[in-house]
Amino acid sequence: MRTDYHVHTERGPYTVEWLEQFLATARERGVTELGISEHGYRFLQTQALFDNEWTAKKRTEDLDEYMKMVMGAREAGHDVKFGIELDYIPGRNEQMRAFLASYPFDYVIGSVHWLGDFGFDLLEYRPIWDARDIKEVYEEYFSILMQLAESKLFQIIGHPDVIKVFGHEPDDAAFLQDWYNRLADHFKLHDQCIEVSTAGLRKPVQKMYPAPDFLKACFEKGVPIALSSDAHRPEDVGADYEAAIAYIRAAGYEQICTFRNRERTLVPLK
């Protein structure tokens, strides 16, 4: 089994024909289960969950049209999972819970992309890094990631160390290892599944998410994993999966998670 649950179709229309291009790449690369997980901030229905100047410009789509695309693909005979990626914002748990209850998602990816008004993985915010202490940024990011796990709102924790996206990494191995161990304990305590993502290989950092020592810590604590590419184009579906599978196995994993109706199943990785 190979999955790709983190896929965005936002660069084209919400049509079955556009989605079929992603499905075609999935078949070519041996991805047996594809899930679509559009960014939640794009939808008019999510304004109450999180809204700022940047997301206001991006919030132009109707989630019902997005759902119609996925359901239309199923009617056409395609086995595709219906998901969404939501930004986790502390203090909005009840609003997110109510929103998630209103749609039949197979899974929901919870990700941290914002530290207050700092969109740390966006190009237009990149200069802010120069004025920030890297360890303090990591402390804030990992602390919010722990709150995300505690919320139990999501089936998958997206790209757990995406904070390194531009190559800003603390020069302190002990600091990072301490956080990796704490997070692994926390994920296990709250029965969380984390994402192994090849997206970092296509970013300035040019590294897989999460870091090897982070992934190994999660394996040692019994934290399950999902496999994804974070594709934004059809050609990125299942990208670098041979490297990802070797990476996963090097950490000790032989199983990955699949999802249906927000229920998790462990299956052999092939």
Side-chain angles (χ1 to χ4, degrees):
M1 173 69 76
R2 295 187 182 190
T3 65
D4 198 341
Y5 282 127
H6 198 149
V7 174
H8 301 282
T9 60
E10 62 189 26
R11 296 189 182 184
Y14 290 140
T15 64
V16 173
E17 291 75 20
W18 176 233
L19 178 53
E20 285 176 336
Q21 295 188 39
F22 291 81
L23 288 159
T25 304
R27 287 192 297 271
E28 291 169 5
R29 292 184 171 162
V31 173
T32 48
E33 194 157 288
L34 187 75
I36 310 302
S37 53
E38 193 64 283
H39 291 292
Y41 62 73
R42 288 179 54 81
F43 301 116
L44 302 173
Q45 291 88 340
T46 65
Q47 186 172 10
L49 308 183
F50 177 47
D51 192 32
N52 63 23
E53 184 178 355
W54 188 89
T55 60
K57 296 175 183 177
K58 304 289 185 178
R59 185 171 285 108
T60 58
E61 307 302 316
D62 186 338
L63 201 153
D64 293 328
E65 289 299 312
Y66 166 62
M67 182 172 68
K68 182 180 177 181
M69 173 187 69
V70 177
M71 299 310 168
R74 290 178 179 177
E75 291 172 4
H78 300 298
D79 183 10
V80 58
K81 297 297 174 65
F82 179 43
I84 193 169
E85 181 184 15
L86 286 183
D87 292 295
Y88 180 75
I89 305 298
R92 295 295 179 92
N93 287 14
E94 293 312 309
Q95 293 94 324
M96 284 187 278
R97 195 181 313 279
F99 165 76
L100 292 172
S102 65
Y103 284 92
F105 297 114
D106 285 302
Y107 64 94
V108 181
I109 299 173
S111 299
V112 178
H113 296 100
W114 293 87
L115 304 177
D117 58 0
F118 178 26
F120 61 81
D121 65 339
L122 297 171
L123 284 172
E124 50 264 62
Y125 289 84
R126 189 172 181 175
I128 295 176
W129 275 100
D130 296 334
R132 300 290 296 267
D133 180 89
I134 292 176
K135 288 178 73 171
E136 289 180 0
V137 174
Y138 270 67
E139 289 269 3
E140 184 177 358
Y141 172 81
F142 285 144
S143 295
I144 295 175
L145 205 63
M146 293 184 84
Q147 294 177 60
L148 184 159
E150 291 166 14
S151 76
K152 297 187 178 182
L153 289 167
F154 311 103
Q155 282 66 57
I156 302 171
I157 295 178
H159 37 54
D161 59 352
V162 70
I163 191 69
K164 70 187 181 188
V165 60
F166 290 126
H168 301 91
E169 298 181 85
D171 187 20
D172 186 339
F175 167 83
L176 286 171
Q177 192 62 55
D178 178 62
W179 266 110
Y180 295 161
N181 293 338
R182 289 167 61 188
L183 287 162
D185 283 334
H186 209 64
F187 295 159
K188 180 61 177 178
L189 176 65
H190 296 286
D191 192 28
Q192 298 295 290
C193 170
I194 67 163
E195 176 183 74
V196 175
S197 171
T198 63
L201 298 176
R202 306 189 301 277
K203 300 294 185 178
V205 70
Q206 296 187 331
K207 294 179 181 180
M208 207 87 71
Y209 304 129
D213 289 340
F214 195 173
L215 186 60
K216 186 175 181 181
C218 287
F219 173 75
E220 290 173 350
K221 298 298 181 179
V223 177
I225 60 171
L227 173 61
S228 295
S229 70
D230 201 350
H232 287 67
R233 307 175 300 171
E235 56 265 38
D236 289 335
V237 172
D240 298 301
Y241 265 26
E242 295 307 322
I245 290 168
Y247 188 78
I248 288 167
R249 287 194 168 129
Y253 285 96
E254 293 294 338
Q255 293 180 311
I256 58 174
C257 296
T258 62
F259 297 90
R260 184 179 298 276
N261 298 325
R262 301 187 213 183
E263 294 293 328
R264 184 173 75 204
T265 302
L266 283 172
V267 299
L269 175 66
K270 294 182 179 179

